[in-house]
Amino acid sequence: MQIVKNSLSERFLQVYNELDDYMRKKLKVENFVDHGILLKQMMDKNRVFSEFYKDLKTFADMRNLLVHNPYKGNADPILIPHHYIVEKYEEIKNKVMYPKKAILIAIPREVVYTTTLDDSAWKVMQTMNDKVYTHVPVMDGDKMIGVFSENTILSYLVHNKDSIIMQDARISEFKDFVPLDKHPSEYFEFVGRNALLIEVEEIFRRGLISKRRIAVVFITENGNPDEKLLGLITAWDIAGKD
């Protein structure tokens, strides 16, 4: 392969080669299979390729011009990639080859605001209001038994039409409405400790498409609801991850 003597071009070609090798190993194909075909096949296997397909296809076309320059005698190199393009290409490659784990952006259990059935409901609601918390895990030891949220309060008031929430009310007053399957219009998902950030992003994305509001994604060791809570991720955490 022709080596273009320019640091940006060399970096650009290095990214192409690394991605090309990665795709061939993942797809178990021979060297004669076209790079563009590999990109299309990877779209169904990895969301990064789907999200950045147009960029990757454009960069592949640029690489072909660099390597198979039809004007080599008069214009060599035929182009020099802009540093923005090279950095973007490297960023995409890193997303593919070194995917970030979801737990790295999660709110860790140690700092998650939680409650128990014995706690004061008014104190919890006051804290939620002051700190702008929307969902508070209800714990029994290390196990999460439900979530206290605005949805919980609304369901309680709708179900108990003539009731009022007394100053001495405990979270246990809402125990029929804190289980995860007792939250109308909002849903919760669980992933394991090693889940990738892109997998959690996909959970929220699918929720938007299906109009199924995913309120929180909880992280446990293996993604089982009855395991110890390790952390949680909301849509706000996803939006602010960069």
Side-chain angles (χ1 to χ4, degrees):
M1 183 184 75
Q2 174 187 359
I3 300 298
V4 182
K5 294 182 179 180
N6 175 274
S7 60
L8 287 172
S9 298
E10 290 173 356
R11 283 170 58 189
F12 182 87
L13 293 175
Q14 179 66 27
V15 175
Y16 174 95
N17 291 333
E18 289 183 26
L19 279 175
D20 191 77
D21 289 342
Y22 174 89
M23 291 190 293
R24 294 185 191 282
K25 290 177 182 177
K26 285 291 183 181
L27 296 171
K28 298 179 180 178
V29 297
E30 301 296 334
N31 289 335
F32 62 80
V33 180
D34 184 73
H35 186 90
I37 293 176
L38 301 182
L39 290 176
K40 287 184 178 180
Q41 293 180 358
M42 287 300 297
M43 287 177 66
D44 296 327
K45 298 180 178 295
N46 187 312
R47 184 169 168 253
V48 175
F49 285 90
S50 177
E51 182 177 351
F52 295 102
Y53 174 76
K54 290 184 178 180
D55 294 306
L56 291 169
K57 184 65 172 64
T58 298
F59 298 160
D61 292 339
M62 290 174 60
R63 175 265 181 189
N64 289 338
L65 276 175
L66 277 168
V67 175
H68 307 294
N69 182 358
Y71 307 104
K72 187 176 185 302
N74 298 305
D76 187 30
I78 193 171
L79 62 85
I80 297 176
H82 192 279
H83 67 83
Y84 170 83
I85 296 298
V86 176
E87 290 171 2
K88 186 174 183 65
Y89 207 5
E90 289 174 337
E91 179 184 349
I92 295 172
K93 181 205 72 173
N94 289 334
K95 285 178 180 288
V96 170
M97 301 182 69
Y98 312 105
K100 183 183 294 185
K101 290 186 178 181
I103 200 166
L104 294 177
I105 72 155
I107 302 173
R109 168 65 182 91
E110 293 76 16
V111 298
V112 171
Y113 178 65
T114 63
T115 186
T116 69
L117 292 176
D118 293 329
D119 287 337
S120 164
W122 276 104
K123 182 178 178 181
V124 172
M125 287 187 283
Q126 184 64 57
T127 301
M128 291 174 68
N129 183 69
D130 293 343
K131 303 291 186 178
V132 199
Y133 296 149
T134 57
H135 297 81
V136 178
V138 181
M139 308 297 295
D140 182 7
D142 287 334
K143 182 178 179 181
M144 186 175 69
I145 59 175
V147 171
F148 186 81
S149 69
E150 294 176 354
N151 191 285
T152 305
I153 301 168
L154 181 60
S155 295
Y156 173 86
L157 293 174
V158 169
H159 189 267
N160 301 282
K161 296 181 176 58
D162 298 323
S163 67
I164 59 173
I165 302 175
M166 304 298 291
Q167 286 285 347
D168 60 351
R170 301 290 166 181
I171 296 296
S172 57
E173 182 78 16
F174 304 85
K175 65 180 180 180
D176 292 336
F177 307 97
V178 298
L180 300 182
D181 60 351
K182 300 296 183 181
H183 288 246
S185 76
E186 62 180 7
Y187 302 88
F188 306 94
E189 297 284 351
F190 286 80
V191 297
R193 176 194 290 273
N194 293 319
L196 300 179
L197 175 58
I198 197 168
E199 295 173 335
V200 175
E201 291 175 339
E202 182 66 13
I203 289 174
F204 282 107
R205 189 185 72 86
R206 289 198 309 266
L208 285 173
I209 292 174
S210 63
K211 297 182 180 180
R212 186 173 184 264
R213 182 188 172 216
I214 307 298
V216 182
V217 174
F218 294 104
I219 300 177
T220 61
E221 188 65 35
N222 299 295
N224 298 321
D226 57 350
E227 294 178 318
K228 181 179 179 181
L229 180 64
L230 301 178
L232 63 83
I233 298 176
T234 68
W236 291 108
D237 301 314
I238 294 292
K241 69 181 185 302
D242 295 327

